[in-house]
Amino acid sequence: MRFFCVFCVLFGFASAAGALEREAFTVAKYDLEIRLEPEQQRLGARGKITLRNDSAHPQKIAALQISSSLNWLSIRVGGKAVQFVSQPYTSDIDHTGALSEAIVTLPVEIRLKDSVDLEIGYEGVIPLDTTRLTRVGIPEGIAKHTSWDEISPSFTAVRGAGYVAWYPITTESADFSEGNSLFEVVDRWKAREAGSEFKAELVASGVTGEAPRFMICSPGGQGPIAAMGREQQVSAECSWTRLGAVTPTFALANYQDQSKPPFYLFSFPGHEEGARKYSNALEPATKFVSGWFGQPSAAIAIADLADPNSAPFESGTLLMASMTAEDSKLAGINLVHELVHSAVPSSRPWVHEGLAHFAEAMYRQEQGGRQAALDFLGLHRAAFLDSEKEVAAATRKNAGKPLAVTFDETYYRSKAAYVWWMLRDMAGDDALKEAIRKYRAEDDNDKAPKYVERLIEAAARRDLGWFFDDWVYQDRGLPDFHVQSVHPWKTEKGEQFITVTLENLGNAGAEVPFTIFFEGGEITKRMEVRAKATATMRVELPGTATKIVINDGSVPEIDLTNNVFKISAP
Ligand SMILES: [Zn+2]
C-alpha cells in the first residue's frame, strides 16, 4: 500500500488530472429500472442516480463503478451526454474481483454538499464468479458456497455492494489479501450510504417452464417482499431505505410458497422437510420474541438456497438459507433473529443486529440453559477478539471502533450481542424488557446520543454511564480480570467469611460474576470492576473456600487463562 501511495504522489504531480477522489461522491438516491433475462444471464439497467459531494473539495470528476461483467452504455446530465472514460478497476468488493469504472467529467464543478442527477445506462451478464476468492487460494469448490450470486435460468440470486456491484458504487479499491482492507472499504461504503434510498423496478422476461416464478426483494423499505408470475414475465417494485443497514438483494426462482403473511416462506421442491421445520418453529419463536421485544410488526421472509452448502445471507428481514440442511434448533434461532428485526426496527446496527444476536443467545438459554447460551456467545467472542487485542496494543488514539457508530459486522453483531447480554445481567430481565419496549427508532438519532443508556438506566434505576463509555461510545478493548487477593477469616462464633479482591487489568470495566467453591458447594456473586481498578467483596461461606473462578463466559475478556485462583489451606 505504501508503495502504491508513493506512486500516487509522483503521478499526481505529473498528471494534469491530479488525484482522483473515488469516495468523494455518495450516491444519495437510486431510481433504476432493471431488466433481467435469466436465459442469457443478462441484466440491463437504466435510470437516475443522485450524487452528493461529501468530500472536502469541489469536484468535477466522479468515478462510478459497476461489476466488471457489466458495461457502461451511457451517462447523461440534464439530458446531455457527458464525457466519460471506462476502465477496469481491480477491487475485491465485487465477486469478479474487478469493477467497470466510468470516470465521468461533470459539466460543472459540484460544490460541497451539492448534488447532481445523472441518467445512466449499463448492461451485461452476472454469471457465477468466484475469482476474488480463488485468486487468494480458496479452492473453487469451497468458494462457490460463499460466492453464490448469479443470474441463471434455474436460480437467480444477486446481493448488492460487497458481493455484486449490480448498481453503481463509488469506492476505493478493496483487497482481500490485505488484512481487513475489504471490510474497511465495505464498512466505509455502508456508513456513507446509511441514509441513502433505492427504488428499483425489476422485470424478468423470457421466463420459461411450467412452475410459477417468484421474484423476491430483500425487505428494507416500503416495497413488497415478493411478486409472482406464471407468464413469460414477472416484475416487482422494490425499495430500500437506510442502505447502511440493508443490502439491496433480489432473487428469482420456481419456489414453493408456504407464506402466511406477514411471514413469507419460499422453498425449493424437495426441501419440504426443512421448510416444515421453519413453519413449525414459527409459533414458539413468535411467542418468545413477543414476550421480550414486543409484537413483530414488519414482514419477514425466509428464502431457500439451492446448494445445501451455501453460506446463509441476511439483509433487513430477509434470510436466505438452504433448507436442506436445516435442523429444527437452527430454524428456531434463525426465526427468532428475523422476528426481532421485525419487532424492533432501528437504523443503529449495534441495536438492530446486536439485539437479534442477543435474542438468539437467550433462545438458546430457553432451550438448553444458561451454559448453552454462554457457549453460543463464546463463538461470537472469537470474531472480535483479535481486533480488540489490536486496540489494547495500539498507542495511537481512536484506534478502536466505537459500537455506537461502527459498521464493522463483527462489532455490531458479535460484540453487541455480548453488550446486550451484560446489560441484561446488570439490569435484570424486567428492566431490560421495559427499556426495549420503550425504544423507538425515530428517537434514537444523533440529537440524543445517550438515548439507549437513558432508557435502560431509567428502567433499572442504576447508573450505567461508565459501562456505555467503555463499551458503546468508545472502544476501549476488553477487560482482563484476575483475583488480586483473598482473605479467609472466621468470627468468634465460628462463621466463615472470605474477602475477595478482583483486579481488572483491561481498559473496559464490567460487572463480572465469580464463583467461590468451598467444601460441599459453591456460591456465585457479581462485582462491578472498573477499568484498571480493583473491587472488594466480603462473602459468608458455609465451608472452607478452595477455589475462585471469575467470569462464567458472560463477559468477553481478553485473557481467560488467569481466571482460576486456587486457595491453599492455611
Ligand atoms: Zn440480522
Side-chain angles (χ1 to χ4, degrees):
M1 199 58 209
R2 190 158 295 150
F3 285 110
F4 177 70
C5 283
V6 169
F7 286 118
C8 284
V9 174
L10 290 178
F11 285 113
F13 282 119
S15 120
L20 175 58
E21 287 186 60
R22 288 194 161 84
E23 299 190 359
F25 285 103
T26 299
V27 187
K29 222 173 182 179
Y30 295 86
D31 192 350
L32 301 178
E33 192 193 310
I34 307 285
R35 285 166 294 108
L36 304 172
E37 290 167 52
E39 294 292 334
Q40 277 77 46
Q41 305 194 292
R42 292 195 77 78
L43 178 147
R46 60 185 54 256
K48 206 167 80 179
I49 58 171
T50 303
L51 296 183
R52 184 183 62 231
N53 181 3
D54 281 347
S55 74
H57 318 280
Q59 302 284 346
K60 200 162 188 290
I61 308 282
L64 298 177
Q65 303 146 345
I66 46 177
S67 177
S68 69
S69 63
L70 302 170
N71 299 301
W72 287 102
L73 296 178
S74 74
I75 299 172
R76 303 163 79 86
V77 176
K80 287 200 187 100
V82 292
Q83 198 192 332
F84 71 90
V85 183
S86 190
Q87 61 175 30
Y89 183 58
T90 304
S91 176
D92 285 333
I93 200 163
D94 188 78
H95 67 156
T96 61
L99 296 160
S100 291
E101 184 174 64
I103 311 286
V104 186
T105 306
L106 298 165
V108 290
E109 213 170 51
I110 308 300
R111 290 175 303 182
L112 312 193
K113 297 295 158 201
D114 272 4
S115 297
V116 57
D117 287 345
L118 274 66
E119 298 115 59
I120 54 168
Y122 55 91
E123 66 174 24
V125 291
I126 301 184
L128 193 84
D129 195 315
T130 55
T131 306
R132 69 170 171 179
L133 297 173
T134 48
R135 75 173 169 210
V136 292
I138 297 171
E140 167 90 39
I142 292 170
K144 66 174 201 233
H145 298 323
T146 7
S147 203
W148 42 254
D149 307 79
E150 65 174 328
I151 296 175
S152 86
S154 59
F155 179 55
T156 291
V158 183
R159 297 167 286 182
Y163 302 91
V164 181
W166 62 270
Y167 47 85
I169 57 173
T170 57
T171 57
E172 290 293 339
S173 173
D175 192 341
F176 242 136
S177 55
E178 210 180 293
N180 277 325
S181 154
L182 172 63
F183 303 104
E184 279 164 18
V185 173
V186 174
D187 292 346
R188 271 208 312 275
W189 168 253
K190 286 188 171 177
R192 286 158 57 218
E193 294 284 298
S196 298
E197 290 170 27
F198 198 142
K199 231 169 62 188
E201 189 188 355
L202 278 89
V203 182
S205 57
V207 178
T208 52
E210 289 293 295
R213 290 278 165 155
F214 285 91
M215 174 103 80
I216 296 173
C217 308
S218 57
Q222 304 309 312
I225 283 182
M228 182 187 73
R230 266 175 203 282
E231 307 300 320
Q232 284 280 298
Q233 187 166 301
V234 45
S235 64
E237 301 268 349
C238 308
S239 88
W240 298 278
T241 49
R242 304 186 286 105
L243 286 194
V246 296
T247 305
T249 298
F250 63 85
L252 180 71
N254 61 332
Y255 281 135
Q256 293 183 324
D257 182 14
Q258 287 109 318
S259 305
K260 290 177 203 142
F263 170 58
Y264 292 83
L265 182 63
F266 301 99
S267 64
F268 281 111
H271 293 184
E272 284 80 8
E273 201 176 325
R276 204 158 31 241
K277 280 175 181 151
Y278 275 99
S279 296
N280 294 342
L282 182 64
E283 202 195 303
T286 307
K287 202 173 148 218
F288 171 78
V289 170
S290 306
W292 253 96
F293 301 88
Q295 199 65 36
S297 53
I300 66 162
I302 318 270
D304 205 352
L305 290 172
D307 170 7
N309 297 310
S310 288
F313 166 75
E314 176 209 32
S315 174
T317 51
L318 168 73
L319 173 70
M320 301 192 75
S322 172
M323 292 180 197
T324 42
E326 280 310 339
D327 61 48
S328 35
K329 227 181 239 170
L330 193 58
I333 279 181
N334 283 343
L335 276 173
V336 162
H337 185 110
E338 300 310 318
L339 288 165
V340 172
H341 284 336
S342 160
V344 193
S346 173
S347 52
R348 297 220 175 248
W350 84 274
V351 175
H352 191 67
E353 285 301 339
L355 280 178
H357 287 279
F358 160 64
E360 288 184 33
M362 285 199 298
Y363 203 51
R364 282 296 293 127
Q365 174 168 355
E366 198 173 88
Q367 293 167 329
R370 183 173 165 96
Q371 195 50 52
L374 295 178
D375 291 345
F376 180 84
L377 276 176
L379 303 173
H380 277 288
R381 177 174 167 264
F384 62 94
L385 186 63
D386 285 344
S387 180
E388 291 289 28
K389 278 183 180 164
E390 279 171 31
V391 171
T395 45
R396 70 193 163 96
K397 272 204 157 165
N398 306 323
K401 299 170 190 167
L403 206 51
V405 293
T406 186
F407 281 87
D408 182 325
E409 274 200 72
T410 59
Y411 274 60
Y412 70 67
R413 290 181 189 275
S414 298
K415 186 178 177 181
Y418 268 108
V419 165
W420 286 105
W421 186 277
M422 289 187 285
L423 284 168
R424 177 203 182 195
D425 278 349
M426 286 190 285
D429 285 15
D430 290 341
L432 190 60
K433 276 183 198 174
E434 186 189 323
I436 293 170
R437 297 293 183 86
K438 285 188 176 156
Y439 178 86
R440 293 287 171 274
E442 55 273 22
D443 296 334
D444 189 5
N445 54 32
D446 289 332
K447 286 176 204 144
K450 295 192 170 179
Y451 173 63
V452 175
E453 180 198 326
R454 297 276 184 262
L455 282 179
I456 302 172
E457 283 179 333
R461 295 191 182 82
R462 178 173 171 178
D463 168 34
L464 294 167
W466 60 275
F467 180 82
F468 274 81
D469 271 341
D470 288 358
W471 291 90
V472 181
Y473 310 140
Q474 309 286 334
D475 180 9
R476 299 227 160 93
L478 300 175
D480 178 14
F481 302 105
H482 76 122
V483 173
Q484 193 193 54
S485 67
V486 292
H487 172 53
W489 48 283
K490 268 183 193 172
T491 62
E492 281 175 9
K493 287 181 192 162
E495 295 153 330
Q496 298 197 61
F497 285 89
I498 188 165
T499 305
V500 181
T501 300
L502 302 185
E503 182 176 24
N504 180 357
L505 302 167
N507 288 315
E511 186 189 280
V512 69
F514 63 101
T515 301
I516 305 167
F517 292 82
F518 55 86
E519 290 155 355
E522 58 182 76
I523 188 166
T524 297
K525 297 280 179 188
R526 306 179 58 83
M527 236 197 286
E528 189 180 300
V529 197
R530 302 281 177 95
K532 299 274 184 218
T534 59
T536 300
M537 189 183 274
R538 193 185 69 175
V539 182
E540 188 179 353
L541 293 176
T544 306
T546 55
K547 187 171 74 170
I548 296 175
V549 177
I550 317 171
N551 199 355
D552 58 356
S554 57
V555 178
E557 257 190 85
I558 207 112
D559 181 5
L560 288 164
T561 61
N562 54 356
N563 287 33
V564 179
F565 186 85
K566 291 220 167 70
I567 303 166
S568 45

